Amino acid sequence: MNTYSMTIRHIITLLLYLFFTGALYSQGSELPASLLKKLSEAHTQADSVAICNKAISAQLTKNLDVGDAIRVYAENLASESGDSALIYDVRFREALLKRNRRNHTDALILLEQCIVFEKEENDQARLHHLYKVAGDIYSRDGVQDKADLYIGKAIEYYQDTDNLELLAQTQRTMGSNHRRQGRPDLAIALYHRALDNFKALDDSAAIGTVHNSLGLLYHSIQQNEKANEHYHRSLIIAQDQGNIYRQLSAYNGLAITESDATLKENYHLEALDRANKLGNPVRIAHVNFNLAQYYVEQSQRQKALLHLERSVEAYAQAQRTPNIEVRRLLVQLYIEDGNISEARELLAVLEEQIKTVPSLDVRTATHMNMATYYANLQDYERALYHQDLYTTYSDSLINIEKNKAIAELETKYEVKEKDQRITTLNLEKKLSDAKLRTQFLLLIAAISLITVLSFLFYRLRKQKRVIDKQDREKAVLLKEIHHRVKNNLQIISSLLRLQTSQTDDPAAVDALTDGQARVYSMSLIHQNLYQHDDLSKIHMPQYMEKLVSNLFQAYNVSPERISLSIDIDEVEMDVDNVVPLGLTTNELVTNSLKYAFPDERHGNITVALKDTGDTVTLSVADDGVGIDLESIDESSFGRGLVEAFVEKLQGSSQTIVDDGTRVEIIIPKDKLI
């Protein structure tokens, strides 16, 4: 009789809920039929709340509107019961829903309330799960102290309680925290620990999420081939399990890391298909923005504008402000299409939105873009204002990275010092055991030897500490110098760009563009130096790719008209030699872009740097109209630069005209490395 009465009571409560909230019709979010059936069979309110909470978790990656409808019903049941534990259990699910809607502020408020409650209840399992979830959100918002504290507490607890599943989940969370803080070595170590633990648990879904996280990490350190490999592994697992949400993440990653333009577009479209199937407007907005960026890169502005507008519409559906990156790209397209009034209106919105952006990286990039936009609109006062702010935030970023580097060095040193102390204690214990088996004189000799060794060890450690400190200071100072030089060169480049926009003479515009490209080739060297640990060598594949790609942008060359092929061996070169080599490459590629393909002719340019053993060969080739070797102006500035640089590198050059032009410069390897 009691069971029957409880069942009738639940059915009546549910019908009243649907009637008063209008969930079936007004909100467009219906409680699933399977859930209604389970609720009708529940015996207690606690059972009903548990069923609802499980259903909410299932909707986190499917339909957040349905999840919210279930949450409202569960909240009513919990309030009616008067059980605080049930109330806070539902509140935790509400926080997860807000987190997945990217409403981190409200999510953290709810989680902190739950943390206070679980501390009072002394429920350690629930408390540390809350620490893990809240720590991850703090990490995403850049609140690193809170993130390190909360996630660290969760890891310690799960290690002590031998909960392998939750330990692995938290290791992945801490790995992502390290990735966001720019500590890839620590992130990789934790990701692989999590991967090993999930393999031991035979948890395929979790293994897929770790591969996705490794893809993000390797992309962040510009190792796109490795990133692509991990995204493929994640996709295979997601497809086997029919997990649309994980397929979306994998396709997004593949689209970002794929080098082939056709595959890249296909991956973006697959991601859009999965986002539409999920029905989550925020994710639909993100994927449309990614597609817009791709079409801008491919010079397909109409398609780009279409997907940007769809992104804005999706944000409106989610009742969210569009990301600042979306509006930045819209301004760029408006200016390029001549929609000046729309561009100015959106710039005014950006002026306010940028004040609320917490990320220094995003602020820095936005100020740099806005300086360019205002220069294009001939508003030079605002352009210089944003250029100054860009320089200021760039300095802030390098200071943060410098402080992080010092803190990491100090942490590593403290760990090493503790290991040395442990080693010394173990040695003393062995000597103490030996005291029972040796004579008194041998013991005295051993103690004397230990004393001498300890004294020498102390002296050496003190000297090492001084040397390490000096090395750290020198490394930080050198990075700061390279950063300052890069900033000054970028200011010069910006001034050249501003001057170009005010000049009508084509010859003068051409000369200013050439100068801007040369300045960029030098600033790129200093940027590479302060962003990497080795302050004496330049990684040539990354440098050459950025250098040549910038020339295509500087001369507004569409990749559909002139395609670019880059084949650079894994070579690292001394800074003094990269400057002439980079400027030589700049001159040769510039000549091909300007003279090889007249009258909008289509063609290909190939840039190669090959390590042939005793020599390194730089080759720049095009299949354009070719040049008349007898009519080359030997006194031209560009020609003079190339000859001077080849002479400085003690190399030799040859120009071959055969179905285009190929210039080869052969340099002795011992002059470069």
Side-chain angles (χ1 to χ4, degrees):
M1 183 67 182
N2 289 338
T3 302
Y4 176 78
S5 300
M6 185 64 69
T7 301
I8 294 298
R9 182 182 179 185
H10 276 301
I11 292 173
I12 293 172
T13 302
L14 181 58
L15 290 172
L16 288 172
Y17 160 77
L18 294 175
F19 176 78
F20 285 112
T21 62
L24 287 173
Y25 303 104
S26 302
Q27 296 179 359
S29 298
E30 182 179 87
L31 294 185
S34 58
L35 175 63
L36 297 176
K37 184 175 184 301
K38 290 178 181 178
L39 288 171
S40 67
E41 297 170 354
H43 297 291
T44 65
Q45 286 180 314
D47 290 341
S48 296
V49 172
I51 291 169
C52 288
N53 286 337
K54 188 175 181 180
I56 292 170
S57 298
Q59 294 297 332
L60 288 175
T61 58
K62 294 179 181 178
N63 191 319
L64 296 179
D65 290 335
V66 173
D68 270 326
I70 300 170
R71 191 266 308 165
V72 171
Y73 177 67
E75 193 174 67
N76 290 337
L77 283 176
S79 298
E80 183 182 331
S81 73
D83 187 333
S84 297
L86 292 180
I87 292 171
Y88 279 96
D89 210 10
V90 176
R91 193 165 296 179
F92 170 65
R93 265 66 183 189
E94 183 181 2
L96 296 181
L97 288 164
K98 290 187 181 297
R99 177 200 64 184
N100 282 23
R101 289 187 184 277
R102 302 294 193 273
N103 184 355
H104 288 179
T105 301
D106 289 347
L108 285 170
I109 291 172
L110 292 168
L111 288 171
E112 290 291 355
Q113 291 173 357
C114 293
I115 286 171
V116 171
F117 174 76
E118 298 302 347
K119 281 182 178 179
E120 293 174 351
E121 295 292 305
N122 197 28
D123 189 328
Q124 295 300 311
R126 286 177 177 270
L127 176 63
H128 286 86
H129 183 58
L130 288 166
Y131 280 145
K132 170 185 169 293
V133 175
D136 181 55
I137 300 176
Y138 280 123
S139 174
R140 293 172 188 273
D141 284 354
V143 187
Q144 302 304 344
D145 292 344
K146 213 72 178 283
D148 290 341
L149 175 65
Y150 277 10
I151 304 172
K153 284 183 175 182
I155 284 183
E156 288 180 9
Y157 175 76
Y158 294 132
Q159 285 173 335
D160 292 341
T161 56
D162 294 326
N163 191 324
L164 190 60
E165 181 180 5
L166 290 176
L167 174 61
Q169 291 176 8
T170 313
Q171 285 169 335
R172 186 180 75 86
T173 301
M174 182 61 93
S176 298
N177 181 45
H178 286 314
R179 170 178 58 80
R180 296 183 191 106
Q181 294 190 50
R183 301 194 290 250
D185 51 342
L186 296 176
I188 289 173
L190 276 162
Y191 282 148
H192 280 287
R193 286 181 204 165
L195 197 60
D196 290 341
N197 288 332
F198 283 132
K199 286 179 179 177
L201 294 165
D202 196 25
D203 189 339
S204 298
I207 291 170
T209 63
V210 178
H211 281 302
N212 196 77
S213 297
L214 281 164
L216 281 169
L217 171 65
Y218 282 115
H219 173 61
S220 72
I221 58 176
Q222 299 179 342
Q223 295 188 27
N224 281 342
E225 286 187 11
K226 283 188 177 180
N228 202 274
E229 177 186 339
H230 284 288
Y231 283 130
H232 270 294
R233 291 182 182 178
S234 177
L235 178 61
I236 290 169
I237 294 172
Q239 288 175 330
D240 288 344
Q241 298 188 335
N243 190 321
I244 303 299
Y245 177 80
R246 291 299 171 195
Q247 289 177 35
L248 168 61
S249 298
Y251 276 123
N252 274 332
L254 288 168
I256 293 170
T257 56
E258 179 58 54
S259 57
D260 182 86
T262 302
L263 282 176
K264 185 184 282 284
E265 182 178 21
N266 289 340
Y267 289 143
H268 277 305
L269 293 172
E270 290 287 355
L272 183 59
D273 174 70
R274 300 313 187 275
N276 287 328
K277 286 179 179 177
L278 286 175
N280 185 326
V282 174
R283 297 195 180 279
I284 292 171
H286 288 171
V287 177
N288 273 292
F289 173 65
N290 292 339
L291 256 174
Q293 286 184 305
Y294 166 77
Y295 285 126
V296 167
E297 292 171 3
Q298 300 301 311
S299 300
Q300 299 182 43
R301 288 207 296 269
Q302 290 305 314
K303 285 187 176 181
L305 192 59
L306 172 66
H307 285 285
L308 277 176
E309 289 170 349
R310 288 178 179 174
S311 179
V312 172
E313 290 171 3
Y315 276 120
Q317 183 183 350
Q319 298 180 341
R320 288 273 306 277
T321 300
N323 281 359
I324 200 165
E325 292 91 340
V326 175
R327 285 173 167 165
R328 279 188 346 218
L329 193 55
L330 269 173
V331 171
Q332 176 186 328
L333 294 180
Y334 285 152
I335 292 174
E336 290 175 356
D337 290 343
N339 297 328
I340 304 304
S341 60
E342 289 89 343
R344 289 189 181 279
E345 288 179 10
L346 203 49
L347 276 171
V349 175
L350 280 175
E351 292 278 9
E352 295 302 317
Q353 187 173 2
I354 196 173
K355 298 174 184 176
T356 64
V357 174
S359 168
L360 274 178
D361 290 313
V362 176
R363 282 197 186 188
T364 304
T366 304
H367 283 303
M368 181 182 70
N369 290 140
M370 291 180 75
T372 303
Y373 300 154
Y374 278 117
N376 290 334
L377 295 173
Q378 298 184 350
D379 188 343
Y380 302 117
E381 182 178 351
R382 297 301 298 173
L384 288 174
Y385 166 75
H386 284 285
Q387 181 67 39
D388 288 342
L389 285 175
Y390 163 70
T391 303
T392 300
Y393 282 117
S394 294
D395 290 340
S396 299
L397 283 172
I398 193 61
N399 286 332
I400 289 172
E401 291 189 6
K402 178 175 66 178
N403 292 335
K404 284 182 180 177
I406 292 172
E408 287 172 17
L409 286 170
E410 289 173 346
T411 301
K412 290 179 181 177
Y413 180 78
E414 288 170 4
V415 171
K416 186 175 182 181
E417 190 176 33
K418 288 178 181 177
D419 290 341
Q420 289 170 340
R421 287 180 61 193
I422 291 170
T423 302
T424 304
L425 289 172
N426 288 335
L427 179 59
E428 290 174 356
K429 184 178 183 301
K430 289 180 181 179
L431 290 171
S432 177
D433 294 339
K435 181 174 61 175
L436 301 174
R437 301 186 303 269
T438 60
Q439 297 178 358
F440 179 73
L441 290 177
L442 289 177
L443 179 61
I444 295 298
I447 293 173
S448 300
L449 180 61
I450 290 171
T451 303
V452 172
L453 289 175
S454 298
F455 175 72
L456 291 174
F457 175 74
Y458 170 76
R459 291 289 302 275
L460 288 172
R461 189 175 66 179
K462 185 175 181 181
Q463 291 175 0
K464 184 179 182 299
R465 189 180 299 166
V466 172
I467 293 170
D468 286 348
K469 181 180 179 183
Q470 290 173 345
D471 288 344
R472 289 198 302 270
E473 290 174 348
K474 287 178 182 178
V476 170
L477 180 60
L478 278 173
K479 285 191 176 185
E480 185 70 16
I481 290 171
H482 286 300
H483 179 68
R484 296 287 181 177
V485 172
K486 186 270 296 182
N487 275 355
N488 289 335
L489 289 171
Q490 282 197 338
I491 290 173
I492 294 171
S493 180
S494 297
L495 291 173
L496 289 171
R497 184 171 65 248
L498 292 174
Q499 186 64 47
T500 302
S501 66
Q502 299 179 65
T503 304
D504 297 325
D505 184 2
V509 170
D510 200 30
L512 288 168
T513 303
D514 289 350
Q516 185 181 342
R518 291 170 185 141
V519 170
Y520 177 81
S521 73
M522 291 185 288
S523 72
L524 192 58
I525 294 172
H526 294 282
Q527 180 178 334
N528 272 269
L529 286 171
Y530 80 75
Q531 288 181 343
H532 295 85
D533 293 333
D534 191 340
L535 298 174
S536 62
K537 300 287 186 183
I538 296 294
H539 185 236
M540 295 306 293
Q542 180 182 351
Y543 169 72
M544 294 288 277
E545 184 172 351
K546 285 186 178 180
L547 174 63
V548 177
S549 298
N550 177 71
L551 287 171
F552 271 66
Q553 295 176 7
Y555 289 97
N556 197 24
V557 176
S558 168
E560 294 181 350
R561 186 170 73 86
I562 302 177
S563 65
L564 172 64
S565 175
I566 299 178
D567 184 11
I568 310 297
D569 282 354
E570 289 291 331
V571 177
E572 290 188 340
M573 292 188 180
D574 184 83
V575 177
D576 291 337
N577 293 316
V578 175
V579 172
L581 189 68
L583 289 170
T584 299
T585 305
N586 181 85
E587 295 302 322
L588 296 176
V589 175
T590 296
N591 285 341
S592 293
L593 290 173
K594 290 168 63 176
Y595 306 118
F597 307 102
D599 303 321
E600 295 299 311
R601 176 173 176 160
H602 287 63
N604 305 281
I605 294 177
T606 301
V607 180
L609 185 69
K610 309 303 291 182
D611 184 351
T612 56
D614 295 333
T615 62
V616 173
T617 301
L618 170 67
S619 170
V620 177
D622 63 63
D623 57 359
V625 297
I627 61 173
D628 184 354
L629 294 176
E630 295 181 358
S631 65
I632 293 177
D633 184 1
E634 299 291 342
S635 63
S636 71
F637 182 67
R639 182 75 177 179
L641 277 179
V642 171
E643 291 179 352
F645 294 149
V646 172
E647 182 179 351
K648 182 181 186 306
L649 296 169
Q650 299 183 28
S652 60
S653 67
Q654 60 177 340
T655 302
I656 303 165
V657 180
D658 183 15
D659 293 330
T661 304
R662 183 171 80 256
V663 179
E664 290 185 352
I665 298 174
I666 303 172
I667 308 158
K669 195 172 181 180
D670 58 357
K671 303 299 180 185
L672 289 174
I673 308 301

